[in-house]
Amino acid sequence: MTAEQVNEDSWIEQSMIHFTWARHGKPMTRAWTHGILDKAELIHANAVIFGIHLGGYVAYQSNFTPSVAGMELDVLEELCNEGHRRGLRIIPYWLSTNMGGALHVHEHPDWVAVNSKGVQTGFICHSTPYADVIEAQVREVTKNYAIDGVFIDQSYCSCACSYCKENFRRRFGREMPEWTSTRYVPEDVWGKTAKETGLLRTFWLDNLRHFCWRIQKAVKETRESVLYIQSVVYDATAQAVAPYVDAICSERHLHYQRNINDIVISNRLAAAYSKKPIISQCLYGYTHHAKERPVEHFHLILMEGAATGCSPCLMELNICDDNQNRSEDLEEAGRQIRWTSEAMRDTQPVKYAALLHSKSSEGLLIGSPDVGNDVEPGALQHFKNGKAIVSREHRASFDGYYDILKSRQVPVEFITETDLDDDTLFDYKVLILPNVLCISDKNLQRVKEFAAAGGGVVATHRTGELDEDGRPRTASDIADLIGATPMKLIARDLDVPTPSLDPRLAIPSVDVWPNAESRYFHYVRAVNHPIMGELNGMLLSFTGAFVDVDDLPGSSVAAHILAMDQSRVSMQPFNRRGLFPGDVRGPLVVTSEKPGKVVYIAAQLEPIESRVRSREVDDLLYKAVTWAGGPLPVECGHCPPTLHITYNTNLNTGSLVLVLTNQSVVSALGTIRYIVPVSNIELKVKLGKKRIKEIQTATGQEIHWKQEQDTGVVAIPEVHVAECLVIRLE
């Protein structure tokens, strides 16, 4: 792959973007308009996204939409003229919220998105005639102004408004099922059956595709060079809009997500599924135009975005008009982010571990058996209270394994089921299948070919239990890969009969307590096996479900699950809080060689809820990857788990580009307030026959290094928020 193929003449890749909008209460003058560009230059941005909507009025001269009051000039025209003179790209954006389109909401209240109870969601539905308004405005602006892109904020394309109900009736020949959430349809489940849920999901995706197709058509028919960027599209949904857009903004923010990694995962999944440039946003301020975020907050989050090849975007939203605190720190943070973003241009990741995300597993519908052929893949396996739910098992395992690998500085890339067909799969050292419940026969065979070619494989828990449509497969289909035959699932949250009562107390055995969450501890004993290292002989524990398996001849067991010593649990005086390890119950870790090294882990260990009380389980999952994949290309000494590193190679120069981000944060209410610096970091980089010629850094700090045979030893004095190293070789 050449640098030209990577860029494809798309300037949006690795751009540094300043995001703001029109403002209430003050005249929009030429000086104020130039001030927008001044703020963009302050943070070293090379593009500006400007909200041309203000309560349904527009900040330009329109033939059919009234302009914002107090607009002393055509703001958009001035932004384009002066911005281009300064070398800045200009991207107007449309905001489809009740606030952004207040004029239209007032005139057409039936355009507002509502749920089945009539509760407003805060957005205007794109399946109403409001989409006609947006399309017409996009055509008008693209034709009359020298813009570089079009940014559409929000993607609310399905609700229970009268338009959506009628469209649903025409599409499926039935009434729309009731639902009560005020969020996007795919995020929650409203149908009483899996069929209803599947129909709602299909309806939403069809509407989203159609809306994006309309905007793409409006843009490209008017001026083909203008890029179309769609916002609030994330994870696997990005695959649905990819044919119609030039770039995607996931718009994940820390105060909505569990942690920073959630934002990174969402951006990376969007990139994996769309193969399009991704914009990584961060709110510098939002509510009531008060600055809400310290500089460290946006600095770290946008460096995480730049580290994964996203275009960092600061949502400033006029905050700096009145609040100029720490402007020097803001400028320096912007400079480092821009420096890193440019260093990442024309690079590709160092390929070591491939983490498979399974769309069919994450979208698996579980509920009552009312499923028809008109529903997206995801048939039923279990029932739960007669209602449809979306299985979260795979995503919990996927996210958990990513957290572990990043905390151990392991190079890891996301791949999708489609990527298994690509020959680049064989460039990776190890393929990880984190509880991939659904996998097609074709993809399962592809994984076996990878192992047969010498690639390492790590598979966990219920991997391979179902085909891509959610139909159970025979145990033998997966057994020859994982070196063990799955027998049954052991989980306390399944509705299973109680097989026995405690003989002395006449209460159910702790092992099968019915109708309880999976909070039961299982003890694990590691045996003498190369995969375990210092864990050999240790007693570990985990919480939750596991698969009862029989290991096959030629396989080795590296750790056993232990049964509870029920007699000790039942001893008088009775204390049910004590759980005691007993005899071997079955394998937890099974290894084999085919000739690639394969590790199967029978329990769902990856989610933090499963391993929070036993840090040794983190070690086990990490060791499984490095045993199967072999030595890491970079070893990190004195690195805490909060220091994350991405590894990339420049396609033109061969230089290594390493981005270090420090998540040693003190946060509150979704805001990073302080970051604890990490000092005295030592990296051992495998260089082969090459030697280090020079090291440049984003912060400007001096880096010392030495050569030890085929390894470059790099000493980094400190990483406060983040650092980027460009290691030039000779």
Side-chain angles (χ1 to χ4, degrees):
M1 184 183 297
T2 66
E4 288 73 18
Q5 289 173 314
V6 172
N7 284 324
E8 295 178 346
D9 298 322
S10 177
W11 55 263
I12 195 68
E13 292 190 70
Q14 283 89 40
S15 286
M16 177 70 176
I17 304 170
H18 175 250
F19 190 114
T20 191
W21 54 16
R23 65 178 182 176
H24 282 289
K26 293 183 180 180
M28 287 189 284
T29 63
R30 178 172 279 100
W32 175 79
T33 305
H34 288 194
I36 293 174
L37 305 176
D38 294 340
K39 290 183 293 184
E41 292 180 326
L42 172 70
I43 65 167
H44 296 264
N46 57 355
V48 175
I49 296 177
F50 176 73
I52 58 173
H53 269 188
L54 193 64
Y57 299 87
V58 295
Y60 65 93
Q61 296 298 328
S62 172
N63 292 325
F64 58 89
T65 307
S67 298
V68 177
M71 195 173 73
E72 297 184 1
L73 74 167
D74 188 321
V75 173
L76 182 56
E77 182 179 50
E78 186 66 20
L79 280 175
C80 290
N81 291 339
E82 179 64 15
H84 289 160
R85 189 187 69 80
R86 300 189 190 192
L88 294 167
R89 304 275 187 173
I90 303 300
I91 310 165
Y93 90 85
W94 280 256
L95 179 63
S96 300
T97 63
N98 291 355
M99 176 189 68
L103 173 65
H104 307 290
V105 170
H106 176 72
E107 295 178 347
H108 305 280
D110 58 332
W111 292 3
V112 176
V114 295
N115 68 10
S116 297
K117 304 299 183 183
V119 178
Q120 294 189 5
T121 64
F123 302 93
I124 307 176
C125 181
H126 286 168
S127 292
T128 69
Y130 184 62
D132 300 333
V133 175
I134 296 177
E135 180 184 349
Q137 290 179 348
V138 167
R139 287 184 180 274
E140 180 179 53
V141 168
T142 307
K143 177 182 178 181
N144 297 333
Y145 295 88
I147 61 173
D148 299 285
V150 165
F151 186 100
I152 303 296
D153 199 358
Q154 306 302 328
S155 52
Y156 216 109
C157 294
S158 180
C159 70
C161 69
S162 60
Y163 296 92
C164 284
K165 285 183 175 181
E166 178 59 26
N167 290 339
F168 191 93
R169 192 179 301 115
R170 292 176 182 173
R171 172 77 164 82
F172 299 110
R174 58 181 291 176
E175 297 299 319
M176 177 182 284
E178 289 191 358
W179 50 279
T180 56
S181 174
T182 56
R183 303 183 70 189
Y184 297 113
V185 170
E187 294 189 355
D188 299 299
V189 176
W190 301 268
K192 295 179 181 178
T193 69
K195 181 173 183 178
E196 291 176 342
T197 301
L199 292 177
L200 286 169
R201 178 192 291 169
T202 301
F203 182 63
W204 182 85
L205 286 174
D206 284 350
N207 290 344
L208 177 61
R209 291 186 187 101
H210 180 68
F211 175 77
C212 292
W213 170 80
R214 289 184 64 179
I215 300 302
Q216 179 201 46
K217 192 169 183 289
V219 171
K220 301 305 179 182
E221 285 182 352
T222 310
R223 188 179 303 163
E224 190 172 359
S225 62
V226 173
L227 300 186
Y228 165 33
I229 307 160
Q230 180 63 50
S231 185
V232 198
V233 176
Y234 47 89
D235 297 358
T237 305
Q239 189 175 43
V241 307
Y244 314 106
V245 304
D246 296 299
I248 287 171
C249 178
S250 294
E251 195 168 341
R252 304 285 84 189
H253 299 299
L254 189 56
H255 58 286
Y256 297 136
Q257 314 304 128
R258 292 181 308 159
N259 52 45
I260 298 172
N261 277 356
D262 278 3
I263 301 173
V264 176
I265 289 170
S266 194
N267 286 333
R268 296 187 69 173
L269 280 176
Y273 276 99
S274 69
K275 314 301 183 190
K276 299 285 185 176
I278 304 298
I279 293 175
S280 175
Q281 281 186 336
C282 179
L283 290 170
Y284 189 49
Y286 188 72
T287 305
H288 301 118
H289 284 201
K291 192 181 80 167
E292 294 182 311
R293 310 286 188 254
V295 172
E296 290 79 6
H297 177 95
F298 108 87
H299 189 179
L300 176 57
I301 290 176
L302 293 191
M303 281 294 284
E304 286 280 6
T308 52
C310 297
S311 297
C313 174
L314 176 66
M315 296 184 70
E316 180 263 335
L317 306 180
N318 300 317
I319 305 304
C320 294
D321 288 4
D322 301 308
N323 189 335
Q324 298 176 10
N325 297 350
R326 299 185 65 189
S327 58
E328 292 183 1
D329 294 339
L330 186 67
E331 188 274 336
E332 175 58 19
R335 186 197 65 78
Q336 293 181 28
I337 295 166
R338 173 73 180 273
W339 194 95
T340 301
S341 189
E342 292 185 349
M344 286 291 295
R345 189 178 294 276
D346 302 338
T347 65
Q348 68 177 10
V350 172
K351 293 182 177 178
Y352 177 79
L355 187 64
L356 177 66
H357 181 270
S358 168
K359 183 181 177 183
S360 53
S361 297
E362 183 166 345
L364 180 67
L365 297 179
I366 302 176
S368 66
D370 181 14
V371 178
N373 295 327
D374 52 355
V375 184
E376 285 197 338
L380 307 186
Q381 186 204 9
H382 298 301
F383 305 92
K384 193 153 185 173
N385 302 324
K387 290 189 67 176
I389 63 170
V390 177
S391 173
R392 304 297 185 193
E393 286 191 45
H394 167 64
R395 185 56 184 269
S397 294
F398 181 91
D399 290 0
Y401 224 134
Y402 176 79
D403 289 347
I404 289 170
L405 296 176
K406 292 303 293 183
S407 70
R408 303 305 178 95
Q409 297 84 38
V410 176
V412 56
E413 293 301 310
F414 293 176
I415 65 170
T416 69
E417 292 151 315
T418 304
D419 294 328
L420 290 175
D421 280 337
D422 199 312
D423 287 340
T424 58
L425 172 67
F426 294 88
D427 294 338
Y428 292 97
K429 303 297 183 183
V430 57
L431 171 62
I432 305 166
L433 312 179
N435 198 15
V436 178
L437 286 81
C438 303
I439 188 168
S440 68
D441 292 340
K442 177 184 177 183
N443 283 340
L444 182 57
Q445 180 59 34
R446 190 68 168 167
V447 175
K448 293 177 181 179
E449 292 172 1
F450 179 78
V457 175
V458 178
T460 72
H461 197 36
R462 300 171 66 185
T463 291
E465 182 178 310
L466 311 172
D467 68 12
E468 72 273 25
D469 293 321
R471 293 184 292 263
R473 62 168 73 253
T474 61
S476 60
D477 292 342
I478 190 71
D480 62 336
L481 171 67
I482 65 175
T485 302
M487 305 299 290
K488 60 182 178 180
L489 178 67
I490 309 297
R492 295 182 64 222
D493 54 359
L494 296 181
D495 188 11
V496 296
T498 303
S500 64
L501 296 178
D502 181 273
R504 299 188 60 162
L505 302 172
I507 59 177
S509 163
V510 293
D511 198 28
V512 288
W513 195 292
N515 302 319
E517 295 180 0
S518 293
R519 294 181 179 174
Y520 175 54
F521 278 98
H522 299 284
Y523 281 112
V524 175
R525 179 75 71 183
V527 301
N528 188 19
H529 188 285
I531 196 174
M532 289 300 175
E534 66 273 14
L535 296 179
N536 284 330
M538 277 189 164
L539 192 66
L540 288 65
S541 67
F542 70 92
T543 306
F546 66 91
V547 176
D548 192 9
V549 300
D550 282 343
D551 53 301
L552 298 176
S555 301
S556 300
V557 177
H560 293 286
I561 299 173
L562 304 182
M564 287 296 112
D565 187 337
Q566 186 65 39
S567 62
R568 293 181 67 188
V569 172
S570 303
M571 287 177 64
Q572 298 290 342
F574 171 71
N575 180 2
R576 204 49 176 263
R577 295 180 185 273
L579 298 177
F580 307 97
D583 297 330
V584 170
R585 178 170 182 166
L588 173 71
V589 180
V590 179
T591 66
S592 56
E593 299 190 32
K594 307 187 179 300
K597 294 179 178 179
V598 177
V599 182
Y600 172 67
I601 301 172
Q604 188 182 18
L605 302 182
E606 306 97 325
I608 187 62
E609 296 83 2
S610 299
R611 54 187 168 87
V612 66
R613 297 170 180 86
S614 182
R615 279 176 39 185
E616 294 81 5
V617 172
D618 295 29
D619 295 336
L620 187 158
L621 291 166
Y622 163 73
K623 290 177 180 297
V625 171
T626 54
W627 182 80
L632 296 172
V634 180
E635 295 181 4
C636 184
H638 309 294
C639 287
T642 50
L643 188 70
H644 297 178
I645 307 177
T646 59
Y647 312 88
N648 303 274
T649 303
N650 187 286
L651 295 169
N652 296 323
T653 65
S655 299
L656 298 177
V657 181
L658 277 59
V659 184
L660 296 83
T661 51
N662 180 15
Q663 292 192 18
S664 305
V665 302
V666 177
S667 61
L669 303 178
T671 297
I672 297 170
R673 305 194 69 238
Y674 303 100
I675 300 178
V676 181
V678 177
S679 303
N680 301 320
I681 303 159
E682 183 180 86
L683 302 180
K684 294 184 177 180
V685 186
K686 299 296 182 183
L687 301 175
K689 297 181 180 180
K690 295 185 177 181
R691 301 179 64 84
I692 297 175
K693 178 182 180 181
E694 177 188 21
I695 298 179
Q696 296 177 315
T697 64
T699 63
Q701 69 174 319
E702 186 176 354
I703 303 295
H704 297 281
W705 71 88
K706 61 182 178 180
Q707 197 84 16
E708 294 181 353
Q709 297 180 349
D710 65 344
T711 301
V713 181
V714 178
I716 305 172
E718 181 182 87
V719 175
H720 183 190
V721 177
E723 181 62 281
C724 176
L725 276 63
V726 176
I727 303 176
R728 305 191 187 280
L729 305 176
E730 60 181 2

